[in-house]
Protein backbone atom coordinates (compact mmCIF):
# COMPACT_ATOMS: atom_id res chain seq x y z
CA UNK A 1 0.00 0.00 0.00
CA UNK A 2 1.37 3.42 -0.87
CA UNK A 3 2.35 5.28 2.31
CA UNK A 4 3.76 8.76 2.90
CA UNK A 5 7.03 8.26 0.93
CA UNK A 6 5.25 6.74 -2.08
CA UNK A 7 2.54 9.43 -2.15
CA UNK A 8 5.15 12.17 -1.65
CA UNK A 9 7.14 10.77 -4.60
CA UNK A 10 4.04 10.68 -6.79
CA UNK A 11 3.25 14.28 -5.81
CA UNK A 12 6.79 15.48 -6.53
CA UNK A 13 7.06 13.69 -9.86
CA UNK A 14 3.54 14.46 -11.10
CA UNK A 15 3.63 18.16 -10.19
CA UNK A 16 5.77 19.46 -13.09
CA UNK A 17 3.56 17.66 -15.63
CA UNK A 18 0.21 18.92 -14.43
CA UNK A 19 0.37 22.37 -12.86
CA UNK A 20 -1.27 24.94 -15.14
CA UNK A 21 -2.81 22.21 -17.30
CA UNK A 22 -6.53 22.22 -18.09
CA UNK A 23 -8.73 19.14 -17.70
CA UNK A 24 -10.11 18.48 -21.17
CA UNK A 25 -11.90 15.22 -20.48
CA UNK A 26 -12.30 12.38 -18.01
CA UNK A 27 -12.68 8.71 -18.93
CA UNK A 28 -14.03 6.34 -16.28
CA UNK A 29 -13.63 2.61 -16.85
CA UNK A 30 -14.87 1.94 -13.30
CA UNK A 31 -17.38 4.47 -12.01
CA UNK A 32 -16.99 3.28 -8.41
CA UNK A 33 -13.66 5.12 -8.31
CA UNK A 34 -15.63 8.39 -7.98
CA UNK A 35 -16.79 8.50 -4.38
CA UNK A 36 -18.13 12.06 -4.36
CA UNK A 37 -20.13 13.78 -5.96
CA UNK A 38 -22.20 11.83 -8.52
CA UNK A 39 -20.40 10.75 -11.69
CA UNK A 40 -22.37 13.31 -13.74
CA UNK A 41 -21.42 16.14 -11.35
CA UNK A 42 -17.85 14.90 -11.28
CA UNK A 43 -17.58 15.26 -15.04
CA UNK A 44 -19.28 18.65 -15.22
CA UNK A 45 -17.40 20.24 -12.31
CA UNK A 46 -13.95 18.87 -13.26
CA UNK A 47 -13.83 19.18 -17.04
CA UNK A 48 -12.66 22.63 -18.10
CA UNK A 49 -10.89 23.38 -14.80
CA UNK A 50 -7.22 24.24 -14.68
CA UNK A 51 -5.00 22.48 -12.11
CA UNK A 52 -3.32 25.16 -9.99
CA UNK A 53 -1.41 22.99 -7.52
CA UNK A 54 -0.79 19.56 -6.06
CA UNK A 55 -0.14 18.84 -2.39
CA UNK A 56 0.06 15.79 -0.14
CA UNK A 57 -1.52 15.40 3.29
CA UNK A 58 -1.03 12.00 4.93
CA UNK A 59 -1.65 9.50 2.14
CA UNK A 60 -3.96 11.86 0.21
CA UNK A 61 -3.13 13.74 -2.99
CA UNK A 62 -4.88 17.11 -3.24
CA UNK A 63 -5.21 18.77 -6.65
CA UNK A 64 -6.39 22.38 -6.48
CA UNK A 65 -8.58 23.74 -9.26
CA UNK A 66 -9.34 27.23 -10.57
CA UNK A 67 -12.95 26.82 -9.38
CA UNK A 68 -11.69 26.72 -5.79
CA UNK A 69 -12.68 23.08 -5.46
CA UNK A 70 -10.15 20.31 -4.83
CA UNK A 71 -9.81 16.87 -6.36
CA UNK A 72 -8.68 14.50 -3.61
CA UNK A 73 -7.25 11.11 -4.58
CA UNK A 74 -6.54 8.25 -2.19
CA UNK A 75 -4.66 5.35 -3.76
CA UNK A 76 -5.55 2.90 -0.97
CA UNK A 77 -4.11 -0.61 -1.45
CA UNK A 78 -2.91 -0.82 -5.04
CA UNK A 79 -3.39 2.53 -6.78
CA UNK A 80 -0.81 4.34 -8.93
CA UNK A 81 -0.96 7.47 -11.06
CA UNK A 82 0.94 7.16 -14.34
CA UNK A 83 1.70 9.99 -16.76
CA UNK A 84 1.37 9.44 -20.48
CA UNK A 85 0.18 10.92 -23.76
CA UNK A 86 -2.93 10.38 -25.89
CA UNK A 87 -0.87 7.96 -27.97
CA UNK A 88 0.22 5.93 -24.92
CA UNK A 89 -1.18 2.46 -24.54
CA UNK A 90 -3.62 2.45 -21.61
CA UNK A 91 -1.92 0.51 -18.80
CA UNK A 92 -3.61 -2.68 -17.63
CA UNK A 93 -5.98 -2.13 -14.67
CA UNK A 94 -6.50 1.57 -15.53
CA UNK A 95 -9.79 2.60 -13.89
CA UNK A 96 -9.81 6.27 -14.93
CA UNK A 97 -7.98 8.67 -17.22
CA UNK A 98 -7.80 12.39 -16.54
CA UNK A 99 -7.03 14.01 -19.88
CA UNK A 100 -5.16 17.33 -19.76
CA UNK A 101 -4.27 19.81 -22.48
CA UNK A 102 -0.77 19.73 -24.03
CA UNK A 103 -1.31 15.98 -24.60
CA UNK A 104 -0.89 14.88 -20.99
CA UNK A 105 -2.89 12.00 -19.54
CA UNK A 106 -2.99 10.80 -15.95
CA UNK A 107 -3.81 7.10 -15.79
CA UNK A 108 -5.27 5.96 -12.47
CA UNK A 109 -4.19 2.34 -12.35
CA UNK A 110 -5.67 0.25 -9.56
CA UNK A 111 -5.75 -3.57 -9.82
CA UNK A 112 -7.87 -4.10 -6.70
CA UNK A 113 -10.21 -1.11 -7.18
CA UNK A 114 -9.97 0.31 -3.66
CA UNK A 115 -8.69 3.73 -4.78
CA UNK A 116 -11.06 6.69 -4.71
CA UNK A 117 -11.44 10.20 -6.14
CA UNK A 118 -13.47 12.92 -4.50
CA UNK A 119 -14.25 16.42 -5.76
CA UNK A 120 -15.09 18.70 -2.85
CA UNK A 121 -15.27 22.37 -1.94
CA UNK A 122 -13.65 21.94 1.45
CA UNK A 123 -10.59 19.69 1.72
CA UNK A 124 -11.01 19.59 5.50
CA UNK A 125 -14.18 17.56 5.09
CA UNK A 126 -11.85 14.72 4.05
CA UNK A 127 -8.49 15.42 5.63
CA UNK A 128 -9.54 17.44 8.69
CA UNK A 129 -9.19 14.58 11.14
CA UNK A 130 -5.64 13.59 10.20
CA UNK A 131 -2.94 13.73 12.84
CA UNK A 132 0.32 15.68 12.48
CA UNK A 133 2.61 15.33 9.45
CA UNK A 134 5.66 13.43 10.71
CA UNK A 135 8.16 15.29 8.51
CA UNK A 136 7.00 18.82 9.27
CA UNK A 137 8.97 21.05 11.60
CA UNK A 138 6.12 21.11 14.11
CA UNK A 139 6.40 17.36 14.65
CA UNK A 140 8.75 17.32 17.64
CA UNK A 141 9.48 14.50 20.11
CA UNK A 142 7.13 16.35 22.47
CA UNK A 143 4.30 16.14 19.94
CA UNK A 144 4.90 12.40 19.51
CA UNK A 145 4.95 11.98 23.30
CA UNK A 146 1.57 13.73 23.52
CA UNK A 147 0.10 11.49 20.81
CA UNK A 148 1.24 8.36 22.68
CA UNK A 149 0.57 9.56 26.21
CA UNK A 150 -1.72 7.24 28.21
CA UNK A 151 -2.52 5.22 25.09
CA UNK A 152 -2.89 1.50 25.82
CA UNK A 153 -3.08 0.40 22.17
CA UNK A 154 -0.01 -1.35 20.72
CA UNK A 155 2.50 0.99 19.10
CA UNK A 156 2.13 -0.72 15.75
CA UNK A 157 -1.57 0.18 15.69
CA UNK A 158 -0.98 3.75 16.89
CA UNK A 159 1.67 4.48 14.25
CA UNK A 160 -0.72 3.25 11.54
CA UNK A 161 -3.66 5.23 12.96
CA UNK A 162 -4.13 8.26 10.67
CA UNK A 163 -5.82 10.50 13.30
CA UNK A 164 -2.83 9.79 15.60
CA UNK A 165 -0.06 10.41 13.01
CA UNK A 166 -0.65 10.97 9.30
CA UNK A 167 0.93 9.01 6.46
CA UNK A 168 2.51 5.97 8.12
CA UNK A 169 1.25 2.48 7.29
CA UNK A 170 2.31 -1.12 7.71
CA UNK A 171 5.78 -0.98 6.12
CA UNK A 172 7.15 2.18 7.67
CA UNK A 173 5.65 1.46 11.10
CA UNK A 174 7.59 -1.83 11.18
CA UNK A 175 10.76 -0.13 9.93
CA UNK A 176 10.52 2.74 12.42
CA UNK A 177 9.88 0.41 15.37
CA UNK A 178 12.88 -1.72 14.38
CA UNK A 179 15.11 1.34 13.96
CA UNK A 180 13.99 2.55 17.40
CA UNK A 181 14.46 -0.97 18.87
CA UNK A 182 10.90 -0.95 20.24
CA UNK A 183 8.57 -3.96 20.21
CA UNK A 184 5.41 -3.44 18.11
CA UNK A 185 3.16 -4.68 20.95
CA UNK A 186 4.43 -2.18 23.53
CA UNK A 187 1.62 0.09 24.69
CA UNK A 188 1.87 3.67 23.40
CA UNK A 189 1.90 5.16 26.87
CA UNK A 190 4.61 2.80 28.16
CA UNK A 191 7.55 4.44 26.38
CA UNK A 192 10.16 6.36 28.36
CA UNK A 193 10.95 9.86 27.10
CA UNK A 194 14.26 8.46 25.80
CA UNK A 195 12.40 5.80 23.82
CA UNK A 196 10.01 8.41 22.42
CA UNK A 197 13.02 10.40 21.21
CA UNK A 198 14.46 7.32 19.52
CA UNK A 199 11.13 6.52 17.91
CA UNK A 200 10.71 10.11 16.70
CA UNK A 201 14.16 10.07 15.09
CA UNK A 202 13.51 6.62 13.61
CA UNK A 203 10.19 7.68 12.05
CA UNK A 204 11.79 10.69 10.36
CA UNK A 205 14.84 8.68 9.26
CA UNK A 206 12.93 5.86 7.61
CA UNK A 207 10.50 8.22 5.88
CA UNK A 208 13.20 10.57 4.54
CA UNK A 209 15.30 7.65 3.41
CA UNK A 210 12.34 6.10 1.58
CA UNK A 211 11.51 9.40 -0.13
CA UNK A 212 15.16 9.60 -1.22
CA UNK A 213 14.71 6.15 -2.76
CA UNK A 214 11.42 7.18 -4.43
CA UNK A 215 9.22 4.82 -2.44
CA UNK A 216 9.02 1.05 -2.04
CA UNK A 217 7.82 -1.14 -4.92
CA UNK A 218 7.03 -4.24 -2.87
CA UNK A 219 3.71 -4.79 -4.56
CA UNK A 220 1.93 -2.64 -7.13
CA UNK A 221 3.47 0.79 -6.58
CA UNK A 222 4.92 2.61 -9.59
CA UNK A 223 6.37 6.10 -9.94
CA UNK A 224 4.43 8.32 -12.39
CA UNK A 225 6.88 7.49 -15.20
CA UNK A 226 6.20 3.77 -14.68
CA UNK A 227 9.54 2.95 -13.03
CA UNK A 228 9.90 1.34 -9.61
CA UNK A 229 11.01 2.82 -6.31
CA UNK A 230 13.94 1.21 -4.49
CA UNK A 231 13.17 1.95 -0.83
CA UNK A 232 12.30 -1.70 -0.12
CA UNK A 233 15.94 -2.69 -0.72
CA UNK A 234 16.72 -0.82 2.52
CA UNK A 235 14.04 -2.59 4.56
CA UNK A 236 15.35 -4.31 7.67
CA UNK A 237 12.19 -6.11 8.77
CA UNK A 238 9.18 -5.13 6.61
CA UNK A 239 8.23 -7.84 4.11
CA UNK A 240 11.01 -10.12 5.42
CA UNK A 241 9.09 -13.32 4.98
CA UNK A 242 9.77 -16.64 6.61
CA UNK A 243 12.85 -16.75 8.79
CA UNK A 244 15.11 -14.12 7.22
CA UNK A 245 17.78 -13.06 9.67
CA UNK A 246 18.07 -9.73 11.47
CA UNK A 247 20.94 -7.76 9.90
CA UNK A 248 21.99 -6.51 13.33
CA UNK A 249 22.00 -9.67 15.49
CA UNK A 250 21.28 -12.63 13.19
CA UNK A 251 18.07 -13.67 14.97
CA UNK A 252 15.26 -14.83 12.64
CA UNK A 253 12.75 -12.04 11.95
CA UNK A 254 9.34 -12.92 13.37
CA UNK A 255 5.90 -12.20 11.99
CA UNK A 256 2.93 -11.59 14.25
CA UNK A 257 -0.51 -10.13 13.59
CA UNK A 258 -1.31 -6.90 15.43
CA UNK A 259 -4.92 -5.78 14.99
CA UNK A 260 -5.16 -7.53 11.63
CA UNK A 261 -1.85 -6.15 10.40
CA UNK A 262 1.00 -8.47 9.52
CA UNK A 263 3.90 -7.18 11.58
CA UNK A 264 7.61 -8.00 11.28
CA UNK A 265 10.17 -7.45 14.01
CA UNK A 266 13.35 -8.84 15.56
CA UNK A 267 12.55 -10.47 18.91
CA UNK A 268 16.12 -9.88 20.12
CA UNK A 269 16.60 -6.24 19.07
CA UNK A 270 13.02 -5.29 19.99
CA UNK A 271 12.33 -7.04 23.34
CA UNK A 272 8.81 -6.86 24.74
CA UNK A 273 9.96 -6.73 28.34
CA UNK A 274 12.42 -3.89 28.71
CA UNK A 275 13.26 -4.67 32.38
CA UNK A 276 13.76 -1.02 33.10
CA UNK A 277 14.41 -0.59 36.82
ZN1 LIG B 1 18.05 -8.27 15.78
Amino acid sequence: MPELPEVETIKNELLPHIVGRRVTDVTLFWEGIVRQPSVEEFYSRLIGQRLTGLARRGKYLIFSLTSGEVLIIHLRMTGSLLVGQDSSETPKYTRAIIHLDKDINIFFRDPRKFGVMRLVEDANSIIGKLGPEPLEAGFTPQVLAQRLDKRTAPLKALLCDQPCIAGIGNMYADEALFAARVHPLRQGGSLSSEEVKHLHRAIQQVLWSAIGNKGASTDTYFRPDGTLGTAHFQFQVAHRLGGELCSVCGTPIERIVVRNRGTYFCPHCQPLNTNRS
Side-chain angles (χ1 to χ4, degrees):
M1 170 175 207
E3 302 180 26
L4 188 155
E6 289 74 39
V7 182
E8 179 73 10
T9 301
I10 292 169
K11 186 259 289 175
N12 290 339
E13 298 187 350
L14 210 50
L15 194 65
H17 296 283
I18 61 129
V19 168
R21 300 278 62 79
R22 198 168 54 82
V23 179
T24 56
D25 203 0
V26 176
T27 305
L28 296 178
F29 300 106
W30 155 246
E31 292 193 346
I33 204 164
V34 175
R35 183 64 56 87
Q36 187 184 345
S38 68
V39 167
E40 292 72 26
E41 289 251 326
F42 187 82
Y43 284 125
S44 66
R45 280 154 58 179
L46 184 56
I47 294 169
Q49 296 299 317
R50 215 169 268 286
L51 302 174
T52 56
L54 174 56
R56 180 195 57 76
R57 177 78 172 95
K59 302 177 197 169
Y60 292 90
L61 289 160
I62 305 162
F63 299 76
S64 29
L65 309 173
T66 35
S67 63
E69 291 195 295
V70 287
L71 170 66
I72 300 185
I73 291 183
H74 198 300
L75 300 167
R76 302 270 179 212
M77 298 291 286
T78 58
S80 300
L81 299 180
L82 301 167
V83 174
Q85 284 80 43
D86 289 335
S87 58
S88 307
E89 196 177 324
T90 301
K92 200 176 176 191
Y93 305 119
T94 294
R95 307 304 178 193
I97 307 174
I98 299 173
H99 306 266
L100 306 176
D101 62 1
K102 304 268 170 93
D103 193 19
I104 307 260
N105 287 338
I106 305 172
F107 298 94
F108 192 156
R109 180 185 185 274
D110 189 15
R112 293 183 66 184
K113 296 202 235 183
F114 290 118
V116 291
M117 301 197 279
R118 291 182 175 91
L119 187 60
V120 296
E121 288 175 26
D122 178 15
N124 275 328
S125 65
I126 309 299
I127 58 169
K129 291 199 173 74
L130 292 176
E133 280 293 322
L135 295 181
E136 285 190 356
F139 184 72
T140 60
Q142 291 71 28
V143 169
L144 179 60
Q146 285 162 9
R147 309 306 291 184
L148 301 179
D149 188 36
K150 299 192 176 69
R151 300 293 300 263
T152 56
L155 275 168
K156 171 65 186 272
L158 291 171
L159 290 186
C160 294
D161 179 33
Q162 301 306 298
C164 183
I165 303 170
I168 299 172
N170 230 9
M171 301 185 292
Y172 297 104
D174 284 358
E175 287 301 301
L177 290 168
F178 175 79
R181 305 291 186 261
V182 179
H183 194 287
L185 286 175
R186 291 273 304 279
Q187 294 187 348
S190 76
L191 266 59
S192 68
S193 58
E194 202 60 26
E195 286 173 321
V196 171
K197 271 188 213 160
H198 288 153
L199 182 57
H200 175 269
R201 191 183 316 137
I203 288 170
Q204 295 198 327
Q205 256 168 14
V206 300
L207 294 178
W208 279 126
S209 160
I211 291 170
N213 289 305
K214 314 298 182 195
S217 291
T218 51
D219 194 357
T220 53
Y221 161 76
F222 294 95
R223 295 163 63 183
D225 66 359
T227 61
L228 302 176
T230 57
H232 51 292
F233 294 123
Q234 312 295 323
F235 283 174
Q236 300 294 307
V237 288
H239 290 276
R240 297 270 161 164
L241 301 163
E244 282 196 52
L245 305 181
C246 171
S247 63
V248 173
C249 73
T251 304
I253 303 293
E254 283 187 13
R255 181 183 188 274
I256 55 173
V257 176
V258 182
R259 301 215 174 157
N260 292 325
R261 293 172 178 275
T263 298
Y264 298 88
F265 70 105
C266 170
H268 181 260
C269 293
Q270 297 164 266
L272 186 54
N273 298 309
T274 53
N275 295 321
R276 280 190 288 122
S277 58

